[in-house]
Amino acid sequence: MDQLPSLLIAGQIMMAVMAGLLLNLTPCVLPAIPIKVRTILREAGGQRSHRVLAALAFTAGTLTFFLTLGGLTALLQWNWGTLFQSTLFVAVLVALMVGFAVITWLDLPIPVPTFAASAHGRRYFEAYVSGLLSAILAAPCAGPFLGGVLAFAVTQPAPVIMGIFGSIGLGLSLPYAVLMLRPEWLSRLPKAGPWTVAIREVLALILLAAAVFFSASLVPKAVYPWLWWAWLALVLVWGLRRFVRGNGAVRVITATAAGLALAVTVVFASPLGSSEDELVWQPYSAELLADTKARGTPYLLEFTADWCINCKVLERTVYKEPAVAEAVERAGMVPIQVDVTASDPEKDALLTATGGQALPFAAIFDADGTAVARFTGLFDTDSLVEAINRTENSQP
């Protein structure tokens, strides 16, 4: 295969760096914030040489994940979500989140393996692990930013693929590495006190929430909502205790945290399609899709997974809007949901054939089977309704 001009490759690499930077604004990064904040604050007071090495270790952690993913993509042609389709991988991730929550709550150092301690890497091992876990947690939201870049990457030689994936890791780690190198930018923060303890405990609770979220594919569906309610109970007990004993700042923090925890629990623990004016999905099957096409019926394909945070955000906001259900009914459309939580060659092939590179992804087809619109990443209700209405107008 002929090499594309080096200028085009450089442009794709710059886009990958920008995508890595933008990842810091996605919902996926929320569970990683406690890990990053903990690392930054631990290194902010050290010598400059220590901060430099910690920043390099943090960046090395993100690069380890993305370069590994890039290598697997080059060798095995993996899709972006392949790792999260592994039950073992998700189980290990949940265990790590719970472990980090306990460590953060108790303000303990991360246990250092013998090999790291003997290599005089004790101080920087936590920064490395923080970078690694931050990259892992950001991965489910990376695909939508990288549709074109990934489509370009998989057609290139292995060194180019590795360069692009490494650039994503550099972009993701850059803001935090800069803060470690320039701790004076944190000098406007108030001095440590009871409020900092409360913040640390809030960060631990966020990590526990992340563990609950990713456990969706590990526990029975009937159990999953109760995990959220148990987490909310823990937050409320903690909040009441802190509110009674705390001062003004602590009370504001605890009240805000409790209110947000209630909202999050209601969103994630509530069933989908529970009222008459909400969209009710039909689970995908090859027979359903074939029958829909044979009848010349327009249809909506949504690809989702339990580990896809952005998918769940869409399903509990955009897709729940009555306007969407009304538009689907007017168009006589069949809404089909394709769950790719676990690896399924048929569903993975359908995602690729439909034009998707990563989740979230949705496509709308008219009565002739022509794709009217494709949606990658987050989008709004008006855009979806407008695309659905186009299928209604195209029917004879």
Side-chain angles (χ1 to χ4, degrees):
M1 181 180 296
D2 295 335
Q3 292 286 336
L4 290 179
S6 58
L7 185 60
L8 179 57
I9 294 175
Q12 295 291 331
I13 288 177
M14 288 301 300
M15 289 178 61
V17 173
M18 290 302 299
L21 282 168
L22 290 174
L23 274 177
N24 291 295
L25 304 178
T26 65
C28 292
V29 172
L30 181 61
I33 288 176
I35 303 170
K36 295 175 178 180
V37 169
R38 171 187 168 92
T39 301
I40 292 170
L41 295 181
R42 278 183 173 270
E43 300 301 333
Q47 300 176 11
R48 179 172 178 78
S49 60
H50 292 164
R51 295 198 303 272
V52 169
L53 290 175
L56 290 174
F58 185 92
T59 303
T62 62
L63 287 177
T64 296
F65 175 76
F66 281 107
L67 289 176
T68 300
L69 194 59
L72 292 170
T73 299
L75 294 174
L76 305 176
Q77 295 296 298
W78 269 17
N79 289 324
W80 191 260
T82 300
L83 275 176
F84 287 84
Q85 290 179 328
S86 166
T87 301
L88 177 60
F89 178 84
V90 175
V92 171
L93 182 60
V94 169
L96 287 173
M97 292 297 96
V98 173
F100 257 90
V102 173
I103 287 172
T104 301
W105 184 279
L106 300 177
D107 197 24
L108 300 174
I110 293 179
V112 180
T114 304
F115 75 88
S118 61
H120 304 288
R122 178 180 297 274
R123 181 183 181 90
Y124 311 110
F125 182 74
E126 178 167 340
Y128 174 83
V129 172
S130 298
L132 178 63
L133 285 177
S134 298
I136 292 172
L137 290 168
C141 286
F145 290 95
L146 299 165
V149 174
L150 291 175
F152 168 83
V154 297
T155 65
Q156 296 303 298
V160 176
I161 294 177
M162 298 290 283
I164 289 175
F165 275 80
S167 299
I168 300 168
L170 285 175
L172 178 65
S173 65
L174 184 60
Y176 305 96
V178 169
L179 285 176
M180 290 182 210
L181 295 174
R182 301 298 298 271
E184 61 270 19
W185 291 355
L186 302 173
S187 60
R188 295 183 180 180
L189 291 175
K191 292 183 178 180
W195 74 273
T196 57
V197 177
I199 289 291
R200 191 187 74 236
E201 292 172 349
V202 168
L203 296 178
L205 292 170
I206 291 175
L207 285 169
L208 281 180
V212 171
F213 175 84
F214 283 108
S215 69
S217 60
L218 305 176
V219 300
K221 290 189 179 298
V223 174
Y224 181 65
W226 290 104
L227 293 180
W228 279 111
W229 292 115
W231 174 78
L232 176 62
L234 176 63
V235 174
L236 294 179
V237 169
W238 163 83
L240 180 62
R241 177 175 173 271
R242 278 289 174 194
F243 191 87
V244 171
R245 298 183 179 182
N247 55 23
V250 172
R251 288 179 175 178
V252 170
I253 292 171
T254 53
T256 302
L260 291 174
L262 177 60
V264 168
T265 300
V266 170
V267 167
F268 284 104
S270 60
L272 292 174
S274 57
S275 63
E276 293 182 358
D277 58 352
E278 292 180 14
L279 186 64
V280 178
W281 294 100
Q282 295 191 37
Y284 166 81
S285 70
E287 294 76 14
L288 172 62
L289 183 58
D291 181 63
T292 301
K293 291 180 178 179
R295 288 186 287 109
T297 305
Y299 59 96
L300 163 63
L301 279 181
E302 188 228 0
F303 293 84
T304 186
D306 289 341
W307 40 262
C308 175
I309 295 179
N310 282 348
C311 298
K312 300 309 174 186
V313 170
L314 288 171
E315 288 163 11
R316 287 162 170 79
T317 54
V318 172
Y319 289 122
K320 287 193 74 170
E321 287 292 328
V324 174
E326 292 171 3
V328 166
E329 185 176 358
R330 283 197 309 269
M333 179 175 287
V334 179
I336 303 174
Q337 189 173 66
V338 188
D339 190 339
V340 294
T341 299
S343 180
D344 185 316
E346 178 185 315
K347 294 178 180 178
D348 293 342
L350 179 62
L351 173 63
T352 303
T354 308
Q357 295 287 339
L359 303 184
F361 179 75
I364 295 175
F365 295 84
D366 64 16
D368 296 327
T370 303
V372 173
R374 293 181 176 88
F375 296 92
T376 299
L378 297 174
F379 52 87
D380 59 32
T381 302
D382 291 341
S383 300
L384 181 62
V385 170
E386 188 273 334
I388 295 172
N389 290 338
R390 282 157 57 191
T391 67
E392 181 185 7
N393 297 333
S394 67
Q395 296 183 53

